[in-house]
Amino acid sequence: GEVDGPQEYAFGQIYAAAVEPGGAFYLFDSNDIQIRRYDALGRFTGKIGKRGGGPGEYQVASGMAVVNGALVVFDPHNARVTHFAPNGKVLREVSQTRSPFYDFAIDTASRMYFVDNTGAVRREGLDVQRQYLRTSLDGKVLDSILIPTLSAGTPAYRGFGLMSPDGARMNFIDENFRAPYLTGGMLAASSIAYRVIVSDGDRRAMVIERRVQPVKLGAEERAQWRERADSMQVRSRGATQYEIPREKPFIRALRSDHSGRIWVEVYTEAEKRTNLSPKRADGGKQILYWRERTTFDVFSPQGRYLGRVALPQESILLAISGNRLYTLGRGQDDEDRLVVFRLDVPDRP
């Protein structure tokens, strides 16, 4: 990305990415509402579709994936999935009216995943009001997977989120997480226990647990969060109480890759930043002065712990392709930059 230059290299806000097997990739710029394709060396090769509601147009690309040489784009605002050729030609459009959520993925069996409301009453242990729908590429519903509820119950205190160049950050509440397992199935976890359920959709296939101690909030980091919580309580005139614990949860998010590896984003000790961007301010003060790097514990398809991946400061993981990590980073002038890293480990452990 560049600060000044051609539009195809001067990114507004990179929101999503998808990668071809040969290394060419697609980026969705949410400021321009534009998908662009680049070759494996990062050279711009053309635009894919445009903003709108007509054929080959979209309002948002909430999820993108490459399947059989085509870019598949989910646009919940237009309630459809569009298949594009690398040159931008529309190959197929499929209506998807059942899912109001942004979640979207395609597994190694070319099944599409959407989150849908079931309309059922919640039961203990299962959030049966939500399910993953698995469909074929032409939109035919194949089956569904109920999404489990793994938290201890009603959170002890209210949550609020802050956006930072390191990703979304919550005030350490009890949360449930879900993610499609890209070799087929689903991942589920609660933030307050290091326990991940890997399901094939029909039964509980595997449970990954780690015995680790929770990370404590340092005094300065906690004071920073407390200051933000107090300002929000003032805004609500005391109607909402936001608490900041003294220990962090374990899990922040879940994801997987098409090699079957499981990526568990974890809470870590925060670092005091001295190189914060001038654009990341709130009334003259930085929102998050103490920040955590985006950090993952990575597991094999058999549940074996492979190691920890910590991204550089102000980086967000966009996509994984084999041993390549496609990340959103920041340049010295606060410009968005796509940065690609290589993992020096087997991609099929």
Side-chain angles (χ1 to χ4, degrees):
E2 301 175 0
V3 177
D4 297 309
Q7 185 183 34
E8 56 266 25
Y9 296 107
F11 305 130
Q13 176 63 58
I14 299 174
Y15 181 81
V19 185
E20 294 179 358
F25 57 91
Y26 301 85
L27 298 178
F28 173 60
D29 189 324
S30 61
N31 276 17
D32 296 339
I33 317 296
Q34 181 64 64
I35 300 171
R36 303 182 181 96
R37 184 183 183 276
Y38 301 82
D39 68 15
L41 297 178
R43 296 173 298 202
F44 175 71
T45 64
K47 296 180 179 179
I48 306 295
K50 64 179 182 179
R51 182 177 188 173
E57 298 176 345
Y58 41 79
Q59 297 292 340
V60 65
S62 72
M64 303 193 302
V66 175
V67 181
N68 300 327
L71 175 69
V72 184
V73 178
F74 176 44
D75 175 12
H77 292 191
N78 282 328
R80 69 178 173 222
V81 175
T82 304
H83 298 235
F84 294 95
N87 62 4
K89 179 182 177 181
V90 176
L91 302 175
R92 176 193 293 175
E93 290 188 331
V94 179
S95 296
Q96 177 48 257
T97 59
R98 295 186 62 177
S99 177
F101 302 95
Y102 275 49
D103 304 56
F104 175 75
I106 300 179
D107 68 15
T108 54
S110 297
R111 293 173 295 193
M112 298 192 293
Y113 287 65
F114 304 91
V115 174
D116 183 40
N117 286 320
T118 66
V121 178
R122 183 187 297 270
R123 299 199 310 266
E124 183 178 358
L126 283 176
D127 182 2
V128 294
Q129 296 175 328
R130 300 274 174 87
Q131 62 182 350
Y132 274 116
L133 286 181
R134 290 198 288 195
T135 78
S136 62
L137 291 178
D138 60 7
K140 179 183 177 181
V141 176
L142 303 173
D143 59 11
S144 62
I145 308 172
L146 291 176
I147 296 173
T149 297
L150 302 174
S151 67
T154 304
Y157 42 85
R158 295 292 299 275
F160 64 89
L162 298 175
M163 292 303 299
S164 81
D166 301 89
R169 298 293 183 255
M170 296 295 294
N171 62 321
F172 317 109
I173 61 172
D174 179 359
E175 299 179 85
N176 282 294
F177 299 109
R178 62 176 187 250
Y181 188 37
L182 296 183
T183 56
M186 178 187 64
L187 307 175
S190 165
S191 62
I192 61 173
Y194 204 123
R195 188 169 184 265
V196 179
I197 294 177
V198 185
S199 169
D200 62 6
D202 297 320
R203 58 186 174 84
R204 181 175 295 180
M206 181 172 60
V207 177
I208 298 173
E209 294 183 283
R210 293 200 75 201
R211 294 184 179 180
V212 295
Q213 294 297 316
V215 177
K216 298 184 182 299
L217 271 80
E220 291 182 272
E221 181 188 8
R222 188 171 186 275
Q224 172 188 269
W225 277 97
R226 182 68 266 171
E227 180 182 7
R228 186 64 176 175
D230 289 343
S231 70
M232 295 185 68
Q233 288 176 193
V234 169
R235 249 184 281 173
S236 70
R237 299 183 180 180
T240 304
Q241 299 295 314
Y242 298 99
E243 295 298 328
I244 307 298
R246 298 188 180 276
E247 292 183 340
K248 300 180 182 182
F250 296 95
I251 295 176
R252 193 192 299 278
L254 299 172
R255 68 186 301 157
S256 65
D257 61 39
H258 287 92
S259 299
R261 292 175 301 205
I262 298 151
W263 295 67
V264 181
E265 187 173 353
V266 295
Y267 285 86
T268 62
E269 292 185 6
E271 304 167 323
K272 189 173 184 178
R273 303 289 175 85
T274 58
N275 59 340
L276 293 177
S277 161
K279 294 184 180 180
R280 305 293 166 184
D282 179 25
K285 295 182 179 180
Q286 295 292 343
I287 295 177
L288 290 178
Y289 191 70
W290 285 82
R291 293 183 185 158
E292 301 173 52
R293 295 180 187 231
T294 302
T295 303
F296 296 89
D297 284 345
V298 187
F299 297 86
S300 75
Q302 295 75 35
R304 179 169 59 90
Y305 178 67
L306 299 176
R308 177 162 287 192
V309 174
L311 300 185
Q313 293 180 0
E314 301 198 354
S315 296
I316 298 171
L317 182 58
L318 293 172
I320 307 167
S321 179
N323 279 341
R324 289 191 171 191
L325 306 184
Y326 290 73
T327 72
L328 171 61
R330 293 196 175 276
Q332 62 181 3
D333 295 312
D334 198 41
E335 73 274 20
D336 276 10
R337 302 186 71 185
L338 181 84
V339 185
V340 184
F341 296 92
R342 186 185 67 204
L343 293 174
D344 287 324
V345 296
D347 63 345
R348 292 187 180 277

